[in-house]
Amino acid sequence: MGKAFDLMLIIEFIPTLIQYLGITLQILAASIILGLVLGIAAAIPRLYKIPILNQLVILYVSFIRGTPILIQLFLVFYGLPAILLLLFSIDITRMEAIYFVIITYAISNGAGFSEIFRAAIRAVDYGQTEAAFSVGMTSRQNFFRIVLPQAVRIAFPNMANSVIGSLKDTSLAFTIGVMDMMGRGDTLIAATAHALEVYLSLSIIYYIIVVMFEKIFSKLEKYFNRYQKADVTAVA
Amino acid sequence: MTIDIPFIWIAFKEIIKALPITLILTIVPLLAGFLIGIGVALVRIYKMKFLYRIANGYVSFFRGTPIIMHIMVIYFGFPLLLDQLSLRFDLGIQTNKIPIILFVLIALTLAAGSYLSEIIRSGIISVSNGQMEAAYSVGMTKFQAMNRIILPQALAQSIPNFTNIFVGFLHTSSIAFLVSQKEVTGAANIVASVNLKFLEAFIAAGIIYWGITILVEGISFLLEKKVTAYNRGGVS
């Protein structure tokens, strides 16, 4: 055990913990991709105001925005097996915890994404649509060639924030027993009793990853904005 | 495994007793963080020497790492630090007597400070420079202009962002259960483990969080209307 606090241990722990970064990124990637699909599916009833489905999506988004991710995680972890068993008599209680995490984060991201898409599409000036129609485009051409490319540009910064938020949220996956970086950190604490050092190493890893993501996203944002005129802002 | 609907109500009554702790864990960090946030925002806007770099690092680090890390690092690190200090200067502080909630509050305050500083900063930047010039032209000092002209407008514009942060921290406070705080999620966990009815207990907790979120969003909507009543936009 030795000293109560050992600075060197922080550096020693990083290689051990970073091996589990893959799991964290897997959770992130899978939940983002599923979330995108879910988000698009949820945004359509809202944009076209399809009755009943519209209200259901409002309820879905409100619930996800209204409850902590931790509660959602527990609800999926305990609720999904119960529902599937009850309705379809499928037993998934032995499914690995990581799938529950991915499902939860996908549901959670889907709600966020649907709101982002909706806001972005509505933010495109209606004059653009009128202009597209005036040159003889069909409604479908207008959507894919005119509205969507502009909406992607508007949605991108919010999407980037969502992804980074989601990355930080994955640190809660260990609460249902997933062996990601946090889970490995827990076992390291049990083995070495150096909790502070483990959490500091984890903080450093997360920070570096988040900063890298921010750099990449800001490059992409510049790329998406390449046709925009420079913003004129009056900074105090 | 079936869902015991009546038990949700029993769990609800039990869990809602823990609501005050959740509210303390939400409101205290936000109020204390607001003061930090204004200070940090002003330091960053006026680019004060040295302080500016520290403020940038603080905001970047706390926004770049999951809040669970802040809670854990302070929960494990603060007692160690205080023990060392008390040993060196013979202060006679017994760290094991300090309630854990204090560490959680400190961690959440630091996190809230970083998030709020960004919101306040963007609020201040969004107030047009002409307002400052007008304030100077009627003979106000810099402090008066900031205090009477810029900040009220900046804060009024930031109400939707403040609501998001409030809801975010309401949900974040659920992490405190990992350091055995008996707030809503912690209470739900206890009710769940005692009765072995996990799903029902977390449904009840979810309803509580959802209800408060809807309430807060409603209040914020009314407040926003009232506070920005003077503000007539470009078209109306």
Side-chain angles (χ1 to χ4, degrees):
Chain A
M1 290 266 258
K3 285 185 281 181
F5 178 73
D6 190 347
L7 212 61
M8 286 310 289
L9 274 180
I10 298 177
I11 299 158
E12 262 176 53
F13 283 149
I14 288 179
T16 320
L17 290 168
I18 217 156
Q19 288 168 13
Y20 291 81
L21 180 63
I23 309 279
T24 298
L25 293 181
Q26 266 174 33
I27 297 173
L28 183 68
S31 61
I32 296 289
I33 292 166
L34 288 175
L36 279 174
V37 175
L38 208 58
I40 293 169
I44 290 167
R46 294 282 276 136
L47 282 169
Y48 291 101
K49 295 212 165 59
I50 300 167
I52 307 173
L53 275 180
N54 188 16
Q55 277 76 7
L56 278 178
V57 171
I58 292 176
L59 199 69
Y60 158 59
V61 172
S62 162
F63 179 76
I64 297 298
R65 286 168 53 99
T67 50
I69 189 86
L70 207 52
I71 294 281
Q72 291 162 22
L73 203 57
F74 290 145
L75 283 179
V76 170
F77 187 58
Y78 295 111
L80 198 63
I83 289 170
L84 285 182
L85 200 63
L86 211 66
L87 295 182
F88 309 106
S89 55
I90 303 169
D91 187 14
I92 57 160
T93 40
R94 298 196 147 272
M95 193 166 79
E96 270 185 73
I98 189 169
Y99 296 113
F100 290 106
V101 173
I102 290 173
I103 293 170
T104 312
Y105 285 63
I107 294 173
S108 172
N109 282 331
F113 288 159
S114 83
E115 283 296 280
I116 293 173
F117 295 154
R118 192 174 68 93
I121 287 175
R122 288 181 55 134
V124 177
D125 188 25
Y126 191 68
Q128 300 282 327
T129 302
E130 286 173 336
F133 286 150
S134 78
V135 294
M137 283 193 186
T138 64
S139 148
R140 187 196 192 82
Q141 283 173 325
N142 164 46
F143 183 79
F144 285 104
R145 294 193 197 170
I146 308 297
V147 177
L148 195 63
Q150 297 186 62
V152 167
R153 186 186 67 79
I154 297 167
F156 188 77
N158 291 329
M159 295 281 294
N161 277 338
S162 275
V163 172
I164 288 172
S166 193
L167 171 69
K168 289 190 280 175
D169 278 343
T170 56
S171 62
L172 295 173
F174 81 101
T175 50
I176 60 168
V178 173
M179 201 57 167
D180 67 334
M181 282 199 298
M182 282 294 278
R184 182 68 183 109
D186 251 11
T187 58
L188 263 184
I189 293 167
T192 62
H194 280 286
L196 182 59
E197 290 87 337
V198 169
Y199 286 119
L200 283 172
S201 321
L202 283 169
S203 306
I204 293 170
I205 297 174
Y206 273 111
Y207 183 54
I208 292 171
I209 304 296
V210 168
V211 168
M212 271 165 55
F213 269 65
E214 277 174 353
K215 284 258 150 66
I216 296 168
F217 287 144
S218 93
K219 282 251 162 66
L220 280 173
E221 202 180 317
K222 277 215 183 92
Y223 175 76
F224 281 128
N225 280 332
R226 66 197 182 284
Y227 299 123
Q228 291 307 108
K229 284 175 212 148
D231 267 346
V232 189
T233 45
V235 180
Chain B
M1 197 166 160
T2 49
I3 299 167
D4 183 357
I5 306 269
F7 186 75
I8 295 176
W9 175 237
I10 298 170
F12 183 87
K13 283 187 289 188
E14 193 60 36
I15 294 166
I16 205 150
K17 286 179 197 153
L19 187 58
I21 299 182
T22 287
L23 291 180
I24 288 173
L25 283 173
T26 311
I27 294 167
V28 172
L30 285 176
L31 289 181
F34 185 72
L35 298 178
I36 299 179
I38 287 201
V40 170
L42 290 178
V43 165
R44 292 182 75 192
I45 282 175
Y46 288 113
K47 297 206 165 63
M48 294 178 195
K49 279 176 195 158
F50 306 119
L51 276 178
Y52 168 64
R53 279 166 188 275
I54 297 171
N56 270 353
Y58 160 72
V59 172
S60 162
F61 184 77
F62 274 85
R63 283 166 53 92
T65 45
I67 290 177
I68 181 172
M69 296 299 169
H70 315 153
I71 293 176
M72 289 304 190
V73 165
I74 285 172
Y75 173 61
F76 287 108
F78 242 61
L80 226 57
L81 194 73
L82 282 179
D83 275 341
Q84 290 290 324
L85 285 177
S86 112
L87 213 68
R88 192 157 297 169
F89 301 106
D90 205 24
L91 297 171
I93 302 169
Q94 281 176 301
T95 44
N96 53 2
K97 290 268 171 64
I98 301 173
I100 296 172
I101 193 166
L102 210 62
F103 297 126
V104 181
L105 284 175
I106 293 170
L108 288 176
T109 300
L110 289 173
S114 70
Y115 285 92
L116 286 170
S117 87
E118 278 290 89
I119 288 176
I120 295 166
R121 194 171 75 105
S122 71
I124 292 175
I125 288 174
S126 76
V127 177
S128 94
N129 213 8
Q131 297 284 328
M132 197 65 164
E133 285 163 6
Y136 284 149
S137 78
V138 294
M140 285 191 183
T141 63
K142 198 174 195 176
F143 177 76
Q144 281 176 326
M146 196 35 103
N147 207 14
R148 296 189 194 170
I149 309 295
I150 307 290
L151 273 181
Q153 294 185 62
L155 296 182
Q157 273 179 25
S158 306
I159 284 177
N161 286 333
F162 284 131
T163 316
N164 281 341
I165 287 282
F166 186 96
V167 170
F169 270 77
L170 174 72
H171 296 169
T172 304
S173 71
S174 67
I175 295 175
F177 112 94
L178 294 173
V179 287
S180 57
Q181 287 305 294
K182 203 174 170 287
E183 40 70 73
V184 170
T185 309
N189 200 36
I190 292 169
V191 171
S193 345
V194 168
N195 300 287
L196 283 175
K197 290 194 161 85
F198 289 89
L199 183 56
E200 293 83 350
F202 289 120
I203 290 176
I207 293 171
I208 293 172
Y209 281 114
W210 194 8
I212 295 177
T213 305
I214 290 173
L215 198 71
V216 168
E217 281 174 350
I219 293 171
S220 137
F221 181 72
L222 293 179
L223 196 68
E224 196 191 338
K225 252 168 109 180
K226 200 172 164 64
V227 173
T228 54
Y230 65 86
N231 191 357
R232 276 175 295 165
V235 281
S236 63

